[in-house]
Amino acid sequence: MKKSLLYSAILMLLGLSFTKCTPEENEDLPVHNSQIIHNAVTDVDGNQYDAVLLGEQVWMKSNLRTTHFRDGSPILNGGTDTFSLELPCYFQSTATLSVSNGLHYNWAAVNDPRALCPEGWHVPTDEEWTEMEQYVGSQQQYVYGYESANIAKALASQEGWKKYPEVGIPGHHPEANNATEFTAVPVSGYYNSYHDGYYGKFAAFWAVSENNADEAYFHCIDNDSPIVHRNRAYKELSISVRCIQD
């Protein structure tokens, strides 16, 4: 009898260990191992931002929302008109999530020598985005399943995402998102004169790295994909900005 009970207990333990290794269980609860720095920086408009330490990098925990450059110069409000390639502009989202989730900026604003980010911070390069993503992918608690590229859930916020049935993506079981506390909100789609966003589906962020005279790189989290996408956008588009510490 004792031998039978012992055998049953061993089987139960083995079963639990196998269950913990399945992708479905890996989606259940976020494990927060990142370091939050409260009130890490204040922009020229007086907006305060928390930051998060990811590897050796410190990132703003929310999207930039300043309407002035670092030197106090105003940034043009783009309104609903087509953005000019020459004039630095911002756009205020019409999405339902709060404006505290940030503004959108065109490339001219991102690349302006007066600087969008506060002193001691800058718009990240394509390489800095990649470094952050590789760090997150190297930490198993942030990875969905067994592929190190599957980190979208760990970076995505827990609110606002359009639902999608496939497991391991930001749109499925969103309460399990944001293990890194990077808090990429889906209000940060992109804007141009043809459409306002794809809100609830995308969180897109500029990299201050050009592909050519017409395009620059951005990194994007989708509601229906487990990975972070690296892509190119026309410079007249307006996209969210996350600043990184110098």
Side-chain angles (χ1 to χ4, degrees):
M1 181 70 177
K2 290 182 179 179
K3 186 175 182 180
S4 176
L5 287 173
L6 178 61
Y7 183 71
S8 297
I10 292 172
L11 287 177
M12 287 178 65
L13 287 171
L14 288 173
L16 286 173
S17 67
F18 289 141
T19 302
K20 287 180 181 178
C21 290
T22 62
E24 287 76 16
E25 284 296 311
N26 199 19
E27 194 185 42
D28 274 353
L29 292 173
V31 179
H32 300 286
N33 287 337
S34 52
Q35 181 177 330
I36 304 303
I37 306 166
H38 296 286
N39 299 324
V41 62
T42 303
D43 68 28
V44 70
D45 287 350
N47 301 305
Q48 287 189 323
Y49 303 85
D50 292 343
V52 58
L53 176 66
L54 293 171
E56 296 181 355
Q57 298 173 321
V58 178
W59 292 76
M60 281 185 177
K61 194 174 178 292
S62 56
N63 299 337
L64 190 68
R65 55 186 186 272
T66 184
T67 59
H68 293 80
F69 289 109
R70 183 187 296 174
D71 66 358
S73 303
I75 306 169
L76 181 66
N77 185 340
T80 57
D81 295 330
T82 301
F83 287 155
S84 165
L85 286 175
E86 291 80 24
L87 296 176
C89 299
Y90 74 87
F91 171 77
Q92 182 172 316
S93 167
T94 59
T96 55
L97 292 181
S98 169
V99 69
S100 65
N101 285 306
L103 299 173
H104 295 170
Y105 302 89
N106 66 355
W107 175 256
V110 168
N111 198 43
D112 194 285
R114 290 171 288 183
L116 268 182
C117 295
E119 187 73 36
W121 297 71
H122 62 274
V123 180
T125 63
D126 184 44
E127 291 78 12
E128 286 174 319
W129 274 106
T130 300
E131 179 183 339
M132 183 268 280
E133 292 157 16
Q134 289 177 343
Y135 166 76
V136 174
S138 73
Q139 307 299 302
Q140 187 56 46
Q141 70 270 22
Y142 298 147
V143 176
Y144 167 74
Y146 311 106
E147 297 293 333
S148 62
N150 292 350
I151 59 172
K153 283 189 73 68
L155 295 169
S157 67
Q158 294 182 334
E159 64 170 354
W161 294 94
K162 290 183 178 179
K163 298 296 178 65
Y164 202 84
E166 183 180 343
V167 296
I169 58 174
H172 183 268
H173 203 172
E175 61 271 23
N177 293 353
N178 206 30
T180 62
E181 301 203 51
F182 185 80
T183 319
V185 290
V187 69
S188 54
Y190 53 83
Y191 175 85
N192 64 19
S193 60
Y194 302 106
H195 59 270
D196 182 358
Y198 293 116
Y199 297 105
K201 184 169 172 55
F202 293 121
F205 308 93
W206 280 120
V208 64
S209 301
E210 294 178 278
N211 179 52
N212 55 42
D214 299 319
E215 297 175 333
Y217 288 103
F218 72 98
H219 290 239
C220 180
I221 296 170
D222 297 0
N223 73 318
D224 60 358
S225 176
I227 69 173
V228 178
H229 297 273
R230 172 183 181 266
N231 215 325
R232 302 179 302 274
Y234 288 114
K235 293 178 179 178
E236 65 265 28
L237 291 179
S238 183
I239 301 177
S240 295
V241 168
R242 283 294 179 96
C243 300
I244 184 173
Q245 195 171 46
D246 294 349

